[in-house]
Amino acid sequence: MIRELFAKNKVKYATIPKKEHKNDVPEGIMTKCPGCKKNMFTKEIETNNWVCPQCDHHYPLNAKQRVASLLEEEGQQSFDMDLQTTNPLGFPGYTEKILSDQKKTGLNEAVWTGTGTLEGQKVVLAVMDSTFRMGSMGSVVGEKITRAIEFATSNRLPFLIFTASGGARMQEGVLSLMQMAKTSVALNRHRAEGLLYVSVMTHPTTGGVSASFASLGDVNLAEPKALIGFAGRRVIEQTVREKLPEDFQTAEFLLEKGQLDAVVHRHDMKQTLATLVQLHTKEASQW
């Protein structure tokens, strides 16, 4: 009504610019915990090794973070960073997605493998990275893990792995499933030499990875509340036609049923692994 009056009398009026609402908190400063739903300073969680100080929720770690939390920086050596994934089935967009994840993570594939020192003891380590194709297992992932196991066997070293995976990579079909057998055979040779293999399952460890090398450790550990299983919960419920327990496929459930040896808090993980390696090395030297 006012505008019409102004227009009739040819009166100019000023338009009031819309007020821009600026976010007072810069992006990334605060993080909402998916466990307790509380907002906290991201730095507070980071300095706590990415564990929520309120509810102990364990945030996923990428390969770089995990390696830094375990191995001494001096003497670290990564393996097979030159191996490149191909597109054997000509899957549309697969190559582009691999290149994108390589740029994002700084890895050549969904697993970091290498050697280094853990509390003064030399070990071979593999760390799967869920930020790279959800840690899925393709040909290069299987090859890198197998080569790392073979290096550990040849040099008579303990082999440690942290798993985090959605399972076999469908874009590589049966070639990805073959990695289950290949890695398992390599582990059997490592075991035949009386060497230690410790598997640490983190959230999530599923599919072909959980059904092969992740479950074959001389000692099987897991982080708290990690999802561990082969098929999905709904698939199993529809198959058996029963309602499963709420904690089904969690690390604590598997520990209760005997599939795990221990559920280890992240704050205790380095010392636990170092103790296992030390005990085994001491016993092996007495044989």
Side-chain angles (χ1 to χ4, degrees):
M1 187 71 179
I2 295 176
R3 291 193 179 193
E4 293 176 358
L5 181 61
F6 282 170
K8 183 177 180 181
N9 293 277
K10 298 182 180 181
V11 176
K12 293 183 179 179
Y13 60 92
T15 57
I16 302 175
K18 293 182 180 179
K19 184 178 180 181
E20 295 183 4
H21 295 278
K22 294 183 178 180
N23 189 352
D24 295 332
V25 181
E27 187 176 354
I29 294 292
M30 302 294 292
T31 298
K32 185 176 182 179
C33 175
C36 61
K37 311 301 181 184
K38 292 183 179 179
N39 287 307
M40 285 165 282
F41 285 107
T42 304
K43 194 67 178 178
E44 184 182 3
I45 303 171
E46 182 181 355
T47 54
N48 200 38
N49 206 2
W50 291 104
V51 176
C52 176
Q54 302 294 328
C55 70
D56 256 3
H57 171 77
H58 283 49
Y59 287 78
L61 294 182
N62 60 36
K64 183 178 179 180
Q65 292 168 326
R66 184 75 69 178
V67 173
S69 72
L70 295 169
L71 301 183
E72 297 170 14
E73 188 173 352
E74 185 178 354
Q76 275 187 36
Q77 178 188 353
S78 59
F79 297 156
D80 303 311
M81 290 296 289
D82 59 329
L83 292 183
Q84 293 296 318
T85 299
T86 61
N87 191 359
L89 303 181
F91 209 94
Y94 181 47
T95 301
E96 290 75 16
K97 289 177 181 178
I98 292 294
L99 293 173
S100 175
D101 279 0
Q102 287 177 342
K103 184 177 179 180
K104 178 177 66 175
T105 63
L107 300 173
N108 64 327
E109 251 297 345
V111 65
W112 182 95
T113 56
T115 186
T117 304
L118 171 68
E119 296 287 354
Q121 302 166 106
K122 193 169 184 181
V123 298
V124 177
L125 177 67
V127 179
M128 303 190 76
D129 194 321
S130 62
T131 62
F132 195 119
R133 298 289 92 208
M134 196 46 225
S136 54
M137 179 181 60
S139 301
V140 172
V141 169
E143 181 67 16
K144 289 187 70 173
I145 292 173
T146 300
R147 291 189 186 189
I149 298 167
E150 290 174 344
F151 181 91
T153 305
S154 300
N155 292 275
R156 301 198 60 78
L157 293 171
F159 178 64
L160 316 176
I161 189 169
F162 282 76
T163 59
S165 177
R169 191 174 295 174
M170 68 175 187
Q171 291 91 341
E172 296 186 28
V174 71
L175 294 176
S176 66
L177 296 176
M178 288 170 58
Q179 310 312 310
M180 296 172 64
K182 184 167 71 175
T183 53
S184 298
V185 169
L187 285 171
N188 191 51
R189 291 170 180 160
H190 185 263
R191 182 178 290 108
E193 293 296 321
L195 301 170
L196 176 67
Y197 167 44
V198 181
S199 173
V200 184
M201 291 173 252
T202 69
H203 181 82
T205 295
T206 59
V209 170
S210 71
S212 56
F213 55 85
S215 300
L216 296 178
D218 298 309
V219 180
N220 289 324
L221 308 176
E223 287 192 327
K225 298 182 181 179
L227 172 66
I228 303 167
F230 182 65
R233 180 190 186 94
R234 285 185 297 177
V235 172
I236 297 174
E237 286 184 333
Q238 290 171 3
T239 302
V240 301
R241 297 184 180 181
E242 291 182 13
K243 183 68 176 176
L244 298 172
E246 287 301 319
D247 62 346
F248 180 70
Q249 292 185 325
T250 63
E252 290 74 13
F253 182 86
L254 269 62
L255 176 65
E256 182 184 337
K257 301 302 179 183
Q259 189 172 336
L260 294 175
D261 295 295
V263 175
V264 183
H265 194 286
R266 188 173 293 165
H267 292 165
D268 303 321
M269 186 63 72
K270 182 176 181 178
Q271 189 56 54
T272 299
L273 292 174
T275 300
L276 286 170
V277 172
Q278 183 181 17
L279 288 172
H280 186 272
T281 303
K282 185 177 180 180
E283 290 179 2
S285 65
Q286 296 174 350
W287 294 344

